[in-house]
Amino acid sequence: MKKKFLILAVIASGFLTSCKDFLEPDSLSTFDVTYIYSNPDDARKGVNAIYESFGQDAFRSRLSNNMAGNTDIEHQSGWSSTADRYQIWDLNALATNGDLRVVWNAAYTSIRNCNIAIEGIEASDALKSSDAATSRKMYQMLGEAYTMRAYWYSMLTMYFGDVPNVRQAPKAGNNFFLPKEDRNVILSQVIDDLIKIEDKMLWADQNNYSIEQINREYTMGMIARLALQRGGYFLTPAMQMERKSDYLDYYKIAKTYTEKLVTLKDRALPTDFKQVFLNQSKFVTPSNSDVLFEVPFAIGNGDVGWNIGITVEGGTTAAHSYGSGNNYMAIPPTYYFSFDTLDVRRDVTCAFYKINTSAQAVFVTNSMNIAQGKWSRWFLDKAPGASTAKGTGINWPMMRYSDVLLMLAEAENELNGPTEIAQNALKRVRQRAFSSTYWPTKVDAYIKSVSASKQSFFNAIVDERAWEFGGEMIRKYELIRWNLYAPKMKQMVDDLKLMADAAQTGTGKFSELPDYMYWKRDASGTFKLLNPSRKYVGTPDATWTRVSFLASLKPTSTTYVDWITKDWEKYYNGPVAGVSRYIFPIPAEAITNSQGKLANDGYGF
């Protein structure tokens, strides 16, 4: 049963219709908030409103995936159009950009709803009820509101830098024409909010809706994620990457709360890496497993399997009823070939096939179309219909336990070097990536080697997070806080050129990689690759189809494809060389409505 109807489905069908005024700016003067938060059942209806922005395009197709590229492991071309999303991909968005406007509005709508819930619950007698169950439910909902507000401020500060810091519910006498607040002040505040509330929340297995509802383990993980963001680098209006002198204080917070979660609510990582994501397409939501929280898209909502995941070519004339889904964020071959060939995550994360209208798996075209293989509408147990596109109902993972382990490893290494604590956390993640047969070399010996120094262990964390979270669209935020965004993009482009050169000349660093690949469907119809890792020498039998792979990156002896030379260029070479201008302008509409409080100053705008 798809339990997610509690949140997004209820909001979409009933709550927003029957209580529309509750979500309007004048809600506190037109609705009896005191009554709403007087008991857990009615309070739940109010708190559900904080999730509403997840069901909007601002999140489901923008923040969750489209705006989170480009990186060294996920990408899309932006230079070929001036449409809104292309401006964002090209790091050249205007203040009139519609996608930025909807994200800004969705963020502050959710923050407003969180503020209403926070003030309503904190003023409620039910919060301090003598009935322990009533009080616990109210504290759980208060934690949900604080955590959701923290999430949206994390995103706002990541994309816009310093932003207005709205922490009061809308009511007469409050001033909501606020200037920008230092992003680090905001992050420090929301971290403190979560530290004060997390121990009063419920674990996922104590909640009615498990990992489809914000829970204590997710909030603890968010404390660590926010602390690493606060302790990391950020772009100043002067186009310089800096971090605050107190950054180690926030690494200590990250260590404290990842270690606390491991101590209080540890769990074994499920051994089947593919099943972690297949669960989302099968509407399976296990507690005490890898996923801590995932956005609960209702059937008819959500874009997973439409604009991210394995491509499915559908339509009314197709031989199947799974509808159509594309992949806006493909995977560069540099990322694919960075994997150890024995790492099981590679073939789960990187898909070389798509489903055509004949319901057959075929090659994705070339090296520039590798799909994110963790999700697909093709994995749904029930075909959604020939004409469907959006609205698959496939959930989107917001945080996994492997993330907690790797944050622990990173924080411990930054504070104390590659200690046993750091090594064991990395080991737990890496063990799942390899058959136990290979643990002596691929896990034990590898970790011993990278633990030679603090820097080598950090480099290993950077790599491990890439291999573990490919396609989950969190890499951008990590590269920023590490001050590696521009360097990693430049390194990737340089390696792509070397791969293209090697495919043409047969010599060089990457000469063993496949210039061409061979594929077929076996007798059962299963898609197969003959040479997924190495160049094939000779001519295979006629059952295999040859396609240009790395050879397609350099059509002439002197010319690389635009995909290499243009897609990432602004990420490391403009407007300041060696710096990625990842900050976007505040939407023009917000500036106009701010009564002179806001302006787009700095960042070369």
Side-chain angles (χ1 to χ4, degrees), residues 557-578:
S557 61
T558 59
T559 307
Y560 300 104
V561 292
D562 288 342
W563 185 79
I564 292 178
T565 59
K566 292 184 178 180
D567 276 23
W568 295 277
E569 202 269 341
K570 290 181 181 176
Y571 286 77
Y572 60 85
N573 194 31
V576 175

Side-chain angles (χ1 to χ4, degrees), residues 235-519:
L235 184 64
T236 70
M239 289 296 292
Q240 296 177 337
M241 292 295 289
E242 298 178 357
R243 70 173 169 183
K244 294 295 186 180
S245 60
D246 61 354
Y247 72 94
L248 286 179
D249 292 341
Y250 289 90
Y251 277 85
K252 291 176 183 176
I253 292 173
K255 181 192 174 184
T256 295
Y257 282 89
T258 50
E259 215 165 27
K260 183 177 181 179
L261 179 53
V262 169
T263 301
L264 295 180
K265 200 67 171 176
D266 195 16
R267 74 281 311 274
L269 293 177
T271 56
D272 189 340
F273 186 70
K274 182 177 181 178
Q275 191 63 46
V276 172
F277 309 98
L278 197 59
N279 282 344
Q280 285 138 27
S281 296
K282 302 297 184 184
F283 308 149
V284 177
T285 55
S287 298
N288 301 316
S289 189
D290 197 352
V291 176
L292 303 186
F293 170 56
E294 57 187 38
V295 175
F297 290 122
I299 300 296
N301 200 306
D303 292 347
V304 185
W306 174 68
N307 68 348
I308 188 168
I310 296 170
T311 294
V312 177
E313 298 172 343
T316 56
T317 61
H320 64 80
S321 298
Y322 281 84
S324 303
N326 208 332
N327 181 23
Y328 286 11
M329 287 287 161
I331 287 172
T334 43
Y335 173 56
Y336 173 78
F337 289 119
S338 73
F339 280 93
D340 189 298
T341 58
L342 296 174
D343 191 329
V344 300
R345 296 172 297 191
R346 184 191 71 170
D347 294 341
V348 173
T349 304
C350 308
F352 283 86
Y353 72 94
K354 63 181 177 180
I355 304 297
N356 65 16
T357 55
S358 298
Q360 296 176 321
V362 296
F363 197 80
V364 292
T365 306
N366 56 41
S367 58
M368 295 170 278
N369 299 98
I370 305 171
Q372 294 160 338
K374 291 177 176 177
W375 309 278
S376 177
R377 63 194 309 113
W378 194 251
F379 299 158
L380 293 168
D381 287 333
K382 181 179 179 181
S387 299
T388 58
K390 292 190 172 197
T392 61
I394 299 171
N395 282 2
W396 181 252
M398 295 289 281
M399 186 178 290
R400 296 195 283 114
Y401 194 61
S402 56
D403 195 344
V404 172
L405 293 172
L406 290 178
M407 287 192 290
L408 172 57
E410 179 185 347
E412 171 67 7
N413 181 62
E414 184 66 28
L415 294 167
N416 303 307
T419 64
E420 184 178 359
I421 292 173
Q423 291 181 44
N424 285 340
L426 174 58
K427 179 181 291 187
R428 291 183 62 180
V429 175
R430 196 162 174 84
Q431 282 178 330
R432 179 171 61 181
F434 296 92
S435 167
S436 59
T437 302
Y438 304 112
W439 284 2
T441 55
K442 301 301 182 181
V443 180
D444 300 336
Y446 173 83
I447 291 177
K448 181 179 180 180
S449 174
V450 301
S451 299
S453 71
K454 178 179 177 180
Q455 184 61 48
S456 61
F457 194 83
F458 169 75
N459 294 340
I461 291 294
V462 172
D463 289 340
E464 202 68 37
R465 291 190 69 87
W467 298 323
E468 179 72 14
F469 302 113
E472 295 175 59
M473 312 309 292
I474 61 174
R475 182 68 166 180
K476 177 177 183 176
Y477 313 125
E478 296 163 354
L479 293 178
I480 289 169
R481 67 178 177 82
W482 291 326
N483 195 19
L484 290 178
Y485 204 4
K488 280 290 186 181
M489 305 303 258
K490 183 63 167 60
Q491 176 188 335
M492 177 187 56
V493 169
D494 290 345
D495 285 346
L496 284 169
K497 290 179 179 179
L498 291 175
M499 286 182 180
D501 293 343
Q504 187 177 84
T505 65
T507 61
K509 179 180 178 181
F510 298 110
S511 59
E512 79 283 1
L513 299 182
D515 48 357
Y516 295 87
M517 280 191 178
Y518 296 85
W519 72 275

Side-chain angles (χ1 to χ4, degrees), residues 109-127:
T109 295
S110 186
I111 289 168
R112 180 199 67 198
N113 293 337
C114 290
N115 290 340
I116 293 171
I118 289 167
E119 291 190 14
I121 294 173
E122 290 184 339
S124 173
D125 291 338
L127 184 67

Side-chain angles (χ1 to χ4, degrees), residues 15-29:
F15 186 64
L16 291 186
T17 300
S18 60
C19 301
K20 183 177 184 297
D21 286 344
F22 182 76
L23 298 180
E24 297 301 325
D26 62 343
S27 57
L28 292 188
S29 62

